[in-house]
Amino acid sequence: MLDIIQLLPDSIANQIAAGEVVQRPASVVKELLENSIDAGSQNVQLIVKEAGKTLIQVTDDGIGMSETDARMCFERHATSKIRATEDLFAIQTKGFRGEALASIAAIARVELKSRTEAEELGTQIIIEGSTLKTQEAVACPKGTTFLVKNLFYNVPARRNFLKSNAVEMRHIIEEFQRVSLAHPDINFSLYHNDQEVYNLPKGKLSHRIVGIFGKNYKEQLASCAEETPHVSVEGFIGKPQQAKKTRGEQFFFVNNRFIKNSYLHHAVMNAFEGLLPENTFPFYILFITIDPRHIDINVHPTKTEIKFEDERTIYAIVRAAVKQALGVHNLMPSLDFDQDVNFQSIEISSLDFEGAGLESHSYAPNPKEQSSSNDSYERFKNPTLQQNNQNNWEQLFENNGTESDEFEFNPPLVPETEEQNIEIFESAANDLNSSNPFDEEYSEKEGKNNMAFQLHERYLVVQVKSGMMLIDQQAAHERILFEKHLASLENRTASSQQFLFPQYIELNPMDFELVKDLEEEIRALGFIYEVAANNTIIINGIPVDVIGGNEKELFEGLLEQYKQNCDVFSLSKKENIARAMARRSAIRPGYSLTNEEIQSLINQLFACSNPNYTPNGQPTFSILDLAKLAGLFN
Ligand code: ADP
Ligand code: MG
């Protein structure tokens, strides 16, 4: 038989390797930034166009490369960072595999200019699809510039697989943040489509954090430090009450390399135990320094995983460091801590829209539009929804009357985990599919004869034919708003309330990109805004039926909720933003309603196409039937 095995040509081998190293533009950004740091640079500039799809350029003032090295660096397994096996156990640099540049050059057009201190002239190389096109001498400053153009030009499947510019830009910003947080002693800047996104002068870590996440992080950082002979942990944690519902601001660095580690994340969460509002994640950025001999970073090509020789000890140290910081900075509760009360007494700079349920009246009326009870009644009046078939609600009243076992005098079901959330959502969807017959005997009067009242500013109690209905006011309002917002998004029917004075909101760059991506949807909801420089937007109006007063909170909450939904569900943009908006602007427990408002809320709920559940699958009402009531007294 003929021999059929052949060695792959380099260009193919490189392209295959590239599949692992370069998933998206952000992967290139990470590799180039890390190379600049390994080269001992003081200034690193990143320029991207079209979220890196057309151009990624990194310029540094590091040691540069000789003429030969500049060619060599594109060879596979070509590295200046390790020479012998022993070196693998003492790695202090970011790179060491020598495959990044070879991979990048296999799937893009790369231009390199570089000069070392010793040379007068630098060298320029153009390489495309692993083929060297030109190399010539050029005049250039000391250091290195890489231009990576037309990423994946020869791998159309990959190119088509890329997400929208906003999504790809988010990934780039994420990598940029990780690298620049790890090196506050280096000047970094980032430009996207000729606009400055970040300009971070070197300085202390706390300055870097504020430079990246915004001025309001200044007050919320507590420093953290713990040292043992073999390991040290230092950095900052955020105050518990500033914890967010979305992940993304949790950073571990081991020997200045960003890593993900759920075990150590658990250590931090454990230290925060009892202090965090439910389902929130605190900010933290922790640097673990350890002798490289006690870790193995050679786990995954993209190198965000790491193995520790003694994970348990590190767990204990991380936990101790965080606990200590919480204690020192008085973020821990006192002994007679009553969670809900105490959380309010800690200065809360931002209103918690996800309210723990015990704050009263988080919605102070906006002085600009002091609302009489008539005005607030208007908020619930919605002619389009009300003319929907009233039958709907009568039917539903009856349907649920028969499911008496469902009733419980408990607060509404709130999913504890993401999985549970999905489960609840799915079971809700199933319930809805099995619709029950309409009971013609239902008397409309019963639900509408002023028998409804508010209980603990949280539930509405209504007499229905089969007994008593309890409505969760927040859940009901969320359902109503969701259907309304979805309709406005689809039919562009939203109307806005305009402000006398515009509100300025400075967003972090990541959220700013998100706003650009969601521009159409946000406007369709009824927001009127302009985009200004420096990641600022100017809000001139909000949707009509939103209770005014804190537009900044509302807007930021909307983005936050949108991101949170992305983590859990795969929704269309429209549905996601309608859900997010409904969730963030629904009335909370503690919001007192007039009789008219109560009636209007009930009518609107049952005019909904799907009144039984919130969009997330939480029940909006429950019925206690007469038999069950009688049973209580037997
Ligand atoms: P690795 O970083 O794993 O060594 P790379 O493919 O990323 O592999 O880079 C190959 C080599 O090219 C590096 O080892 C380094 O010597 C050189 N190099 C890459 N980028 C730079 C840079 N910005 N400045 C100086 N040398 C660089
Ligand atoms: Mg490298």
Side-chain angles (χ1 to χ4, degrees):
M1 189 179 149
L2 286 174
D3 300 330
I4 49 173
I5 299 178
Q6 294 189 347
L7 274 180
L8 287 175
D10 277 353
S11 59
I12 298 183
N14 288 341
Q15 228 186 66
I16 294 170
E20 270 205 83
V21 181
V22 187
Q23 273 110 31
R24 51 178 9 131
S27 328
V28 174
V29 166
K30 172 178 190 274
E31 295 297 338
L32 296 184
L33 290 178
E34 291 189 344
N35 280 346
S36 293
I37 288 164
D38 286 344
S41 311
Q42 283 302 301
N43 294 284
V44 179
Q45 184 189 50
L46 167 64
I47 296 175
V48 293
K49 297 227 159 108
E50 301 286 320
K53 291 174 190 171
T54 49
L55 174 72
I56 299 165
Q57 176 181 338
V58 172
T59 301
D60 68 46
D61 58 355
I63 55 171
M65 282 180 265
S66 71
E67 208 181 305
T68 313
D69 282 352
R71 266 196 321 275
M72 273 294 284
C73 76
F74 294 109
E75 297 291 328
R76 209 139 63 96
H77 309 305
T79 179
S80 55
K81 298 168 194 176
I82 53 174
R83 289 182 187 274
T85 319
E86 301 86 81
D87 298 344
L88 262 181
F89 305 103
I91 287 167
Q92 297 286 2
T93 52
K94 307 273 180 194
F96 60 87
R97 291 164 185 267
E99 57 187 9
L101 292 177
S103 298
I104 294 166
I107 45 147
R109 176 189 166 94
V110 180
E111 294 174 31
L112 160 66
K113 273 188 205 165
S114 193
R115 182 170 76 80
T116 62
E117 182 110 68
E119 307 289 330
E120 258 176 38
L121 272 184
T123 182
Q124 177 176 35
I125 283 186
I126 296 178
I127 181 166
E128 196 175 305
S130 299
T131 313
L132 181 74
K133 299 281 175 188
T134 59
Q135 177 165 23
E136 52 200 34
V138 288
C140 63
K142 177 204 152 206
T144 304
T145 294
F146 276 99
L147 279 84
V148 177
K149 294 179 175 170
N150 300 337
L151 191 62
F152 298 129
Y153 79 100
N154 54 356
V155 199
R158 263 296 157 101
R159 200 173 167 90
N160 297 336
F161 186 70
L162 291 178
K163 298 272 166 48
S164 71
N165 284 1
V167 171
E168 295 301 339
M169 198 55 206
R170 269 212 302 282
H171 286 285
I172 289 178
I173 291 177
E174 204 170 78
E175 293 295 351
F176 179 87
Q177 288 181 344
R178 291 170 182 171
V179 174
S180 59
L181 279 170
H183 298 276
D185 53 335
I186 297 175
N187 299 308
F188 282 96
S189 57
L190 164 58
Y191 294 82
H192 184 209
N193 295 339
D194 298 324
Q195 284 190 330
E196 182 185 292
V197 180
Y198 280 119
N199 186 357
L200 305 167
K202 65 178 173 190
K204 287 196 280 194
L205 174 61
S206 54
H207 291 158
R208 180 61 42 102
I209 294 172
V210 169
I212 288 180
F213 297 107
K215 289 196 272 301
N216 53 341
Y217 278 70
K218 242 182 230 166
E219 294 88 42
Q220 75 140 310
L221 299 176
S223 64
C224 210
E226 189 74 36
E227 203 162 341
T228 71
H230 301 294
V231 188
S232 77
V233 174
E234 61 182 326
F236 290 94
I237 55 167
K239 288 185 186 171
Q241 64 271 25
Q242 304 274 12
K244 293 194 173 165
K245 292 238 160 189
T246 41
R247 292 169 191 253
E249 295 183 357
Q250 291 74 39
F251 300 90
F252 278 117
F253 296 92
V254 173
N255 296 346
N256 278 349
R257 179 195 301 279
F258 172 81
I259 60 141
K260 288 182 185 158
N261 189 310
S262 49
Y263 184 62
L264 294 184
H265 173 71
H266 187 271
V268 178
M269 295 305 276
N270 185 295
F272 268 95
E273 204 175 337
L275 293 173
L276 292 171
E278 214 178 311
N279 295 322
T280 59
F281 303 95
F283 173 87
Y284 62 78
I285 165 164
L286 297 172
F287 289 83
I288 300 169
T289 310
I290 183 170
D291 185 327
R293 276 173 307 179
H294 300 302
I295 53 175
D296 177 9
I297 46 180
N298 201 5
V299 178
H300 190 267
T302 53
K303 295 169 288 199
T304 54
E305 280 158 32
I306 208 167
K307 278 206 179 114
F308 295 97
E309 216 170 67
D310 183 3
E311 227 174 15
R312 296 175 67 146
T313 306
I314 303 197
Y315 183 100
I317 298 167
V318 166
R319 185 170 166 274
V322 175
K323 267 211 171 304
Q324 152 93 356
L326 286 165
V328 168
H329 296 273
N330 270 331
L331 306 174
M332 286 288 257
S334 56
L335 274 180
D336 58 343
F337 176 63
D338 169 347
Q339 207 174 7
D340 300 304
V341 176
N342 219 340
F343 262 118
Q344 291 207 304
S345 65
I346 302 174
E347 144 263 344
I348 299 182
S349 64
S350 60
L351 262 181
D352 180 8
F353 270 69
E354 281 299 299
L358 290 128
E359 302 160 51
S360 58
H361 289 277
S362 356
Y363 287 75
N366 185 351
K368 275 176 276 157
E369 34 146 18
Q370 284 290 0
S371 59
S372 69
S373 78
N374 249 345
D375 281 350
S376 41
Y377 176 47
E378 291 301 316
R379 288 199 299 271
F380 289 123
K381 275 204 350 213
N382 183 329
T384 47
L385 278 178
Q386 264 165 8
Q387 49 176 278
N388 276 0
N389 61 339
Q390 204 71 30
N391 295 351
N392 221 346
W393 82 290
E394 294 148 14
Q395 178 184 5
L396 283 151
F397 269 34
E398 273 316 298
N399 288 349
N400 278 267
T402 52
E403 297 161 23
S404 56
D405 286 349
E406 267 190 4
F407 187 81
E408 263 186 282
F409 271 111
N410 281 333
L413 180 58
V414 176
E416 298 211 321
T417 63
E418 291 170 5
E419 293 77 34
Q420 206 182 333
N421 200 343
I422 290 166
E423 252 171 48
I424 292 171
F425 179 65
E426 283 172 353
S427 77
N430 289 339
D431 283 3
L432 287 169
N433 291 338
S434 58
S435 73
N436 292 325
F438 170 55
D439 181 356
E440 286 179 346
E441 277 180 298
Y442 176 75
S443 132
E444 214 183 78
K445 221 172 138 206
E446 240 160 332
K448 303 175 101 188
N449 59 1
N450 284 341
M451 295 301 278
F453 63 91
Q454 200 180 15
L455 190 71
H456 287 282
E457 298 182 329
R458 183 175 191 142
Y459 302 107
L460 309 179
V461 183
V462 197
Q463 176 180 323
V464 290
K465 194 179 174 194
S466 59
M468 181 177 105
M469 175 189 269
L470 264 169
I471 299 175
D472 180 316
Q473 67 183 44
Q474 178 178 351
H477 197 208
E478 196 178 324
R479 162 53 63 184
I480 295 165
L481 291 176
F482 168 70
E483 294 202 359
K484 201 174 161 298
H485 291 319
L486 203 60
S488 333
L489 285 163
E490 257 142 31
N491 314 322
R492 318 227 147 228
T493 49
S495 25
S496 316
Q497 41 181 330
Q498 296 235 10
F499 299 152
L500 283 180
F501 306 105
Q503 310 270 316
Y504 287 75
I505 302 183
E506 194 185 324
L507 297 167
N508 67 48
M510 197 95 99
D511 285 349
F512 194 64
E513 292 295 325
L514 182 62
V515 171
K516 287 191 207 156
D517 188 36
L518 292 175
E519 172 158 6
E520 201 183 313
E521 287 78 15
I522 294 175
R523 292 194 193 283
L525 279 178
F527 283 96
I528 305 174
Y529 70 93
E530 294 159 48
V531 176
N534 297 331
N535 301 326
T536 301
I537 61 163
I538 306 166
I539 301 204
N540 291 307
I542 56 174
V544 258
D545 42 10
V546 167
I547 304 163
N550 207 333
E551 292 72 32
K552 183 168 151 52
E553 296 292 339
L554 174 69
F555 199 83
E556 287 174 350
L558 173 67
L559 299 179
E560 182 73 17
Q561 188 68 46
Y562 184 90
K563 288 186 281 184
Q564 195 189 330
N565 290 350
C566 287
D567 288 349
V568 186
F569 309 106
S570 56
L571 301 169
S572 71
K573 268 192 202 173
K574 277 184 188 150
E575 179 165 357
N576 186 344
I577 200 157
R579 277 197 193 194
M581 186 66 191
R583 178 137 195 122
R584 291 296 168 144
S585 56
I587 51 166
R588 302 286 130 159
Y591 189 86
S592 127
L593 297 166
T594 64
N595 285 340
E596 289 134 323
E597 286 173 336
I598 292 172
Q599 271 316 317
S600 173
L601 192 74
I602 296 171
N603 291 341
Q604 284 189 58
L605 175 64
F606 292 103
C608 283
S609 62
N610 214 341
N612 301 43
Y613 295 95
T614 65
N616 284 3
Q618 176 196 327
T620 50
F621 64 87
S622 203
I623 287 180
L624 185 56
D625 69 18
L626 290 169
K628 187 117 183 195
L629 279 172
L632 292 175
F633 302 99
N634 275 343

